Amino acid sequence: MIRHLFTLIWNRKKSNFLMITEIFFSFLVLFGVLSLAFYYLNNYNKPLGFQYDKVWVMTLRWNQEKPLEIKEIQSRLKQQLKSNPEVEGVAFSSVNTPFTMQNMNGGFFYNNRSVLSSFYQVDEDFAQVMQMRLTEGRWFNDQDQSSSYSNVVINEALRQALFKNEPVIGKVVAGLSGDNKNPKTRIVGVMEAYKQQGDYSEDSPGYLEYKKLKKQADSTNVFFNTLLIRVKPGVTSAFEEKLTKQASQIAKGWTLEIKSMNEMRASHNKVALIPLIVFSVVCGFLIINVALGLFGVLWYNINRRISEIGLRRAIGAASGQVYRQFIGEVLVLATFGVLFGVVVAAQFPLLQVFQVQTSVYVTALGAAVVIIYALAAGCAAYPSRQAARIAPATALHEE
């Protein structure tokens, strides 16, 4: 029976070519959308590496003050905000805070190998404010202020990409400079993760670099563009006005803006979902076209083959046999489109396109196959049921 159905559809390949082609392209688009959806879902289920709740972000934009004046104002600003009883902790950070589009990256070098890594400049209070989780080593402390090395805490993604199973705590590497002869970067800790780009992003290689806001003049001129403020439970947005007034009195003439990290996360995640929503709409239109096409093709074939149906019923074919034949024809038609689609889709995990995990592609491929077959069976159900109800006398009389 199955061989007969394949032969029947193959002999009609010219008339079914457009339908098979449409199923093929719809399958590829569906595979792409499902791959993106499962990729997002896979990333969403992985830890962020920090706690964003009850954290406020204050961005700082100063005027034409001298470097020493900027450092002095920033130091006073941190102390003043920290003195509020509603505040648990305050930390400085570079501009690329979580849930922003800002990014800073470069090659992280070790033994003539390098990995493109994002880096974030923070002070000693960052771990407390963001409630970071270390899997190994320690956080920055007072001893690092006088260290001749640039101390960093790397994430597990960077460790696996560059060091594999080597011990890393205390290791001195070239880091961002790339100078293997005179390495100046020391690894003091390993953090679980740090997904700066939000819930749906992958935990890509990165590290936190310790920077101290020094009040005396030096050659580095370290400034911070952002203050992270962790408030205590129960503190409402009304406290924001008080913070703004305090900050404005110290940083006179500066442009200050406070945002809740909860709001930043929600906004950032909405933007991240835009590609998935757009592709889903396009895929939806294609699926509807395929459904209408399958329904129309089967309905046309049934009307054209009424005499055949009547003759089969007259010689003893049961209605169930007629029903299964037309269902089978549609499923075989879908199989040709799916087979070509699977051949193309299988190249993505084999060639590691977009560097996405193979499991994501395999899951998306299986889901796309199931959806296409379910769609084909659903579209064929009603016309096939109508064909099975045709009485032999009625069919032969109309003929």
Side-chain angles (χ1 to χ4, degrees):
M1 178 66 177
I2 296 177
R3 182 178 180 182
H4 169 72
L5 290 175
F6 272 93
T7 303
L8 183 65
I9 298 300
W10 181 254
N11 291 336
R12 298 175 184 168
K13 56 182 177 293
K14 290 185 178 179
S15 59
N16 292 326
F17 176 76
L18 290 178
M19 195 68 245
I20 293 174
T21 303
E22 191 172 355
I23 293 174
F24 166 72
F25 284 110
S26 298
F27 175 82
L28 288 183
V29 174
L30 180 61
F31 167 73
V33 171
L34 289 174
S35 296
L36 184 59
F38 284 120
Y39 173 72
Y40 278 177
L41 181 62
N42 186 49
N43 291 336
Y44 186 83
N45 289 328
K46 293 180 179 179
L48 280 170
F50 56 87
Q51 297 293 328
Y52 56 85
D53 193 33
K54 298 299 179 182
V55 176
W56 295 357
V57 180
M58 177 183 287
T59 55
L60 312 173
R61 298 184 184 91
W62 49 84
N63 298 318
Q64 301 297 323
E65 290 89 351
K66 295 180 180 180
L68 274 177
E69 294 176 339
I70 297 174
K71 293 179 181 181
E72 175 65 26
I73 291 173
Q74 289 189 344
S75 179
R76 289 168 51 206
L77 187 60
K78 179 179 178 179
Q79 293 300 321
Q80 176 61 45
L81 298 183
K82 196 174 182 180
S83 66
N84 288 285
E86 298 91 344
V87 174
E88 281 191 2
V90 181
F92 278 116
S93 169
S94 52
V95 68
N96 52 340
T97 55
F99 311 120
T100 63
M101 303 303 293
Q102 304 289 341
N103 193 20
M104 296 162 55
N105 56 37
F108 193 86
F109 291 84
Y110 169 65
N111 282 355
N112 298 320
R113 302 196 307 267
S114 69
V115 173
L116 182 64
S117 306
S118 299
F119 62 93
Y120 314 88
Q121 296 176 335
V122 300
D123 70 0
E124 65 277 6
D125 295 318
F126 186 83
Q128 175 200 352
V129 172
M130 297 304 295
Q131 297 182 357
M132 307 290 294
R133 180 182 175 186
L134 295 182
T135 58
E136 191 176 349
R138 62 171 178 83
W139 188 248
F140 308 126
N141 56 33
D142 295 337
Q143 297 177 358
D144 297 325
Q145 298 181 23
S146 57
S147 173
S148 59
Y149 296 112
S150 175
N151 295 296
V152 299
V153 173
I154 66 175
N155 64 359
E156 286 286 353
L158 178 55
R159 177 180 185 168
Q160 293 301 322
L162 194 58
F163 301 99
K164 304 300 181 183
N165 296 321
E166 296 182 36
V168 296
I169 301 303
K171 190 182 291 291
V172 179
V173 299
L176 192 63
S177 68
D179 186 2
N180 288 299
K181 295 182 179 179
N182 187 28
K184 288 290 186 180
T185 301
R186 181 174 63 182
I187 301 172
V188 299
V190 180
M191 56 186 171
E192 180 184 27
Y194 191 71
K195 292 165 60 175
Q196 181 256 348
Q197 290 295 320
D199 298 271
Y200 300 114
S201 66
E202 193 171 1
D203 184 26
S204 56
Y207 61 94
L208 304 177
E209 181 183 15
Y210 176 63
K211 291 292 182 181
K212 179 65 178 177
L213 189 65
K214 300 178 181 178
K215 297 182 182 180
Q216 67 273 20
D218 57 24
S219 59
T220 59
N221 280 337
V222 175
F223 304 118
F224 290 103
N225 304 87
T226 309
L227 267 174
L228 301 178
I229 308 162
R230 174 167 289 279
V231 296
K232 294 180 179 179
V235 176
T236 65
S237 57
F239 180 59
E240 180 182 328
E241 184 179 354
K242 179 181 177 180
L243 285 181
T244 304
K245 288 182 178 179
Q246 290 181 355
S248 299
Q249 291 174 356
I250 297 173
K252 295 180 180 179
W254 287 22
T255 301
L256 308 173
E257 183 181 2
I258 298 179
K259 290 183 179 179
S260 166
M261 197 168 280
N262 271 316
E263 296 175 356
M264 294 172 63
R265 171 180 175 266
S267 177
H268 194 277
N269 285 346
K270 287 180 181 178
V271 173
L273 288 175
I274 288 176
L276 180 60
I277 295 172
V278 171
F279 289 130
S280 297
V281 171
V282 174
C283 182
F285 279 114
L286 286 174
I287 293 297
I288 291 173
N289 285 333
V290 169
L292 293 176
L294 288 172
F295 190 88
V297 167
L298 186 56
W299 196 266
Y300 172 76
N301 286 337
I302 290 173
N303 288 331
R304 192 169 56 88
R305 296 161 62 185
I306 288 180
S307 59
E308 175 191 334
I309 296 170
L311 182 60
R312 287 195 61 195
R313 293 296 307 279
I315 61 177
S319 60
Q321 292 177 305
V322 176
Y323 177 79
R324 287 192 294 272
Q325 178 184 345
F326 283 102
I327 289 286
E329 289 182 13
V330 173
L331 292 179
V332 169
L333 183 66
T335 298
F336 282 104
V338 168
L339 283 177
F340 293 128
V342 168
V343 171
V344 175
Q347 307 309 309
F348 284 77
L350 292 176
L351 300 177
Q352 285 297 302
V353 179
F354 304 124
Q355 301 299 314
V356 175
Q357 293 180 351
T358 302
S359 60
V360 171
Y361 285 131
V362 173
T363 305
L365 185 63
V369 170
V370 171
I371 291 174
I372 290 295
Y373 275 120
L375 177 70
C379 293
Y382 180 74
S384 299
R385 190 178 296 109
Q386 294 298 106
R389 291 177 178 175
I390 296 176
T394 304
L396 295 175
H397 174 74
E398 291 181 358
E399 186 64 21

